[in-house]
Amino acid sequence: MITVEAQLARVLAGAAELPHETVPVDAAHGRVLAVDLRSAIDSPRDANSAMDGYALRRADVLGASPDAPVALRVVGEVAAGSGHDPVIAPGEAVRIMTGAPVPADADAVVPIERTADADWAADPVRIADEPAPAAHIRPAGDDLAAGELVLPRGIRLTARALASAVGAGVGELEVVARPRVAIIATGDELAEPGAPLARGQVHDSNSLLVAALAVEQGAVAVHRGRAGDAPGALDAEVRRVLEASVRPDLIVLTGGVSAGAHDPVTRLALEFAKVAMQPGKPQAFGRIDGVPVFGLPGNPVSVAVSFELFVRPFLAVLQGLDPTRPTERAIADEAWRTPVGRRQYQPIVAQRVDGVLHVRPASDRGSGSHLVGRLARAEGFAVVPAEVAAIGVGDEVEVMLG
Ligand SMILES: Nc1nc2c(c(=O)[nH]1)N[C@H]1C(S)=C(S)[C@@H](COP(=O)(O)OP(=O)(O)OC[C@H]3O[C@@H](n4cnc5c(N)ncnc54)[C@H](O)[C@@H]3O)O[C@H]1N2
Ligand code: MOO
């Protein structure tokens, strides 16, 4: 048996960041930013008002108070979006709305509530408060200066990141191409989701599991197919994938990698390994016509774990992301057994109590790799060293969440 690290090194050897492409900001959600993004503009473009009220010359209203308001002639109005810059002479004011550019002659804004009448129709307006210098004026460039770093390369573009990019005056972003994944589930026993099962059949949950996990990691599932165990069937499906107009960056196969007499993946020219992990011991990896091919063991929990350990880091490298996965320490609230000689990845549920992470197995039916019905509960995996035979209540364990 080889270690998880050795198999990961084999998988990642030769993996490299995919080419970049430029996409409109509208299409960039979830993509990985390929280059540092700097602000294209000073933002806000203009000094603008933070309040609905009156733009005025502060010198006119020094000492103003509710008992001694200062009357100013209203000579105009600027609303948000107005490009107008009205002249304000001494003794005058202009109605101004939130977000509107502050006239060049004004040096303070007084909110409508701070006028004696609190009435937009009032003229003269009686200012009942002495504003601080530059009161309620947001200076130009207050948020961003042109050239300032807004988003560093290598981040996944979230809704908030996209808002910042648009605020920085940008309409297109240079992102890393999405990895294109083709998925083929193998086995004569596979039935369509929802189809009635004949004796010996099982619903194909793996191909959807891999496709959805890949999409969660920023990939596109360009093909989802099935191949039976008959000699040649998988080969033909792999050929179809390789000859399609959109060539995948990787192919993920599930099932048929172990010692069975009909296991079809074993007939492909891949490298087979027994990895010291549970679940997920039989693994295959190699290249066919230069395209990386993963052969994951068919049990659904094995697929979920194998994806986390090998496919997810591979997809990260293709997108220029760090493939390492942070782990946390947690306390086991329940005991469980683990196989000596294989590092266990136990699906767990987690809960934080007084800042301390507590975990227990997600399954109440043991750690069988066929327990797809319990997979939904898993919030992560406890990583138990190969030499450990059992986890006891209160033991400290390493956990990868998410
Ligand atoms: N003699 C040995 N037998 C097995 C070994 C071994 O070392 N020697 N290893 C066992 C381990 S560990 C695993 S894991 C499995 C892996 O087997 P395969 O990759 O060949 O997978 P299959 O036999 O095709 O399927 C295993 C299991 O999973 C179900 N399955 C398969 N595909 C799907 C799918 N798309 N959706 C849902 N479920 C699926 C399948 O029906 C089987 O029950 O081998 C052990 N055997
Ligand atoms: O390695 Mo298998 O995935 O234990 O069931």
Side-chain angles (χ1 to χ4, degrees), residues 97-143:
M97 305 305 146
T98 303
V102 175
D105 291 337
D107 58 3
V109 168
V110 172
I112 175 103
E113 301 88 326
R114 298 268 184 260
T115 63
D117 305 298
D119 178 358
W120 288 115
D123 187 7
V125 59
R126 293 184 300 143
I127 305 296
D129 196 19
E130 178 188 315
H136 306 300
I137 296 176
R138 294 176 172 149
D142 187 33
D143 183 16

Side-chain angles (χ1 to χ4, degrees), residues 4-220:
V4 168
E5 287 71 22
Q7 178 67 5
L8 180 61
R10 184 183 281 176
V11 161
L12 294 185
E17 187 173 326
L18 293 173
H20 300 170
E21 59 194 22
T22 300
V23 298
V25 282
D26 282 3
H29 192 208
R31 305 294 299 267
V32 175
L33 186 65
V35 291
D36 285 349
L37 177 77
R38 295 183 175 277
S39 187
I41 55 168
D42 290 330
S43 177
R45 181 189 181 283
D46 316 288
N48 68 70
S49 179
M51 289 286 192
D52 298 315
Y54 292 86
L56 45 75
R57 293 165 169 270
R58 181 169 173 268
D60 285 347
V61 294
L62 294 178
S65 72
D67 296 331
V70 175
L72 299 176
R73 212 146 44 78
V74 180
V75 295
E77 176 172 320
V78 271
S82 165
H84 189 45
D85 185 3
V87 171
I88 305 174
E92 295 177 349
V94 158
R95 282 189 291 267
I96 191 163
M97 305 305 146
T98 303
V102 175
D105 291 337
D107 58 3
V109 168
V110 172
I112 175 103
E113 301 88 326
R114 298 268 184 260
T115 63
D117 305 298
D119 178 358
W120 288 115
D123 187 7
V125 59
R126 293 184 300 143
I127 305 296
D129 196 19
E130 178 188 315
H136 306 300
I137 296 176
R138 294 176 172 149
D142 187 33
D143 183 16
L144 291 170
E148 184 179 340
L149 181 68
V150 181
L151 304 171
R153 70 170 298 278
I155 62 155
R156 201 174 282 290
L157 291 161
T158 60
R160 289 191 277 256
L162 290 175
S164 292
V166 172
V170 165
E172 290 182 330
L173 291 166
E174 189 174 333
V175 295
V176 182
R178 275 184 201 280
R180 292 170 302 217
V181 185
I183 299 138
I184 305 171
T186 72
D188 278 345
E189 73 274 38
L190 303 184
E192 275 291 322
L197 294 179
R199 179 175 167 79
Q201 285 192 315
V202 62
H203 291 120
D204 168 23
S205 56
N206 284 346
S207 62
L208 180 54
L209 173 64
V210 172
L213 284 170
V215 168
E216 284 176 12
Q217 295 310 310
V220 202

Side-chain angles (χ1 to χ4, degrees), residues 185-186 189-190 202-206 254-259 263 274 281-282 296-300 302 342:
T186 72
E189 73 274 38
L190 303 184
V202 62
H203 291 120
D204 168 23
S205 56
N206 284 346
T254 68
V257 293
S258 63
D263 283 345
K274 290 204 183 311
K281 181 180 66 175
L296 312 184
N299 282 304
S302 313
R342 293 160 76 187

Side-chain angles (χ1 to χ4, degrees), residues 85-398:
D85 185 3
V87 171
I88 305 174
E92 295 177 349
V94 158
R95 282 189 291 267
I96 191 163
M97 305 305 146
T98 303
V102 175
D105 291 337
D107 58 3
V109 168
V110 172
I112 175 103
E113 301 88 326
R114 298 268 184 260
T115 63
D117 305 298
D119 178 358
W120 288 115
D123 187 7
V125 59
R126 293 184 300 143
I127 305 296
D129 196 19
E130 178 188 315
H136 306 300
I137 296 176
R138 294 176 172 149
D142 187 33
D143 183 16
L144 291 170
E148 184 179 340
L149 181 68
V150 181
L151 304 171
R153 70 170 298 278
I155 62 155
R156 201 174 282 290
L157 291 161
T158 60
R160 289 191 277 256
L162 290 175
S164 292
V166 172
V170 165
E172 290 182 330
L173 291 166
E174 189 174 333
V175 295
V176 182
R178 275 184 201 280
R180 292 170 302 217
V181 185
I183 299 138
I184 305 171
T186 72
D188 278 345
E189 73 274 38
L190 303 184
E192 275 291 322
L197 294 179
R199 179 175 167 79
Q201 285 192 315
V202 62
H203 291 120
D204 168 23
S205 56
N206 284 346
S207 62
L208 180 54
L209 173 64
V210 172
L213 284 170
V215 168
E216 284 176 12
Q217 295 310 310
V220 202
V222 291
H223 174 92
R224 248 178 78 193
R226 292 190 199 111
D229 293 330
L234 177 57
D235 247 335
E237 187 69 3
V238 169
R239 280 283 130 223
R240 218 185 336 276
V241 163
L242 291 173
E243 282 155 20
S245 52
V246 180
R247 199 175 156 90
D249 298 303
L250 66 157
I251 300 176
V252 180
L253 312 174
T254 68
V257 293
S258 63
H262 309 289
D263 283 345
V265 176
T266 58
R267 293 192 285 262
L268 297 178
L270 301 174
E271 236 184 301
F272 294 84
K274 290 204 183 311
V275 182
M277 58 190 276
Q278 191 271 320
K281 181 180 66 175
Q283 295 286 335
F285 181 77
R287 283 169 200 272
I288 301 179
D289 285 3
V291 175
V293 178
F294 291 77
L296 312 184
N299 282 304
V301 183
S302 313
V303 171
V305 169
S306 305
F307 185 97
E308 291 305 316
L309 296 187
F310 307 120
V311 184
R312 184 206 272 246
F314 186 85
L315 292 175
V317 171
L318 293 193
Q319 294 173 88
L321 300 171
D322 180 358
T324 54
R325 184 81 181 275
T327 59
E328 288 187 61
R329 307 300 296 177
I331 301 296
D333 280 355
E334 209 174 279
W336 73 82
R337 299 171 59 75
T338 141
V340 174
R342 293 160 76 187
R343 186 188 296 161
Q344 190 191 41
Y345 292 88
Q346 168 78 272
I348 46 93
V349 289
Q351 179 188 15
R352 226 172 267 280
V353 181
D354 297 332
V356 179
L357 193 65
H358 289 253
V359 297
R360 59 178 68 231
S363 163
D364 51 1
R365 308 235 172 132
S367 59
S369 55
H370 62 297
L371 296 169
V372 69
R374 301 293 191 271
L375 204 49
R377 300 182 190 171
E379 294 167 318
F381 299 92
V383 185
V384 185
E387 62 276 13
V388 174
I391 294 293
V393 173
D395 283 359
E396 213 179 77
V397 287
E398 192 184 358

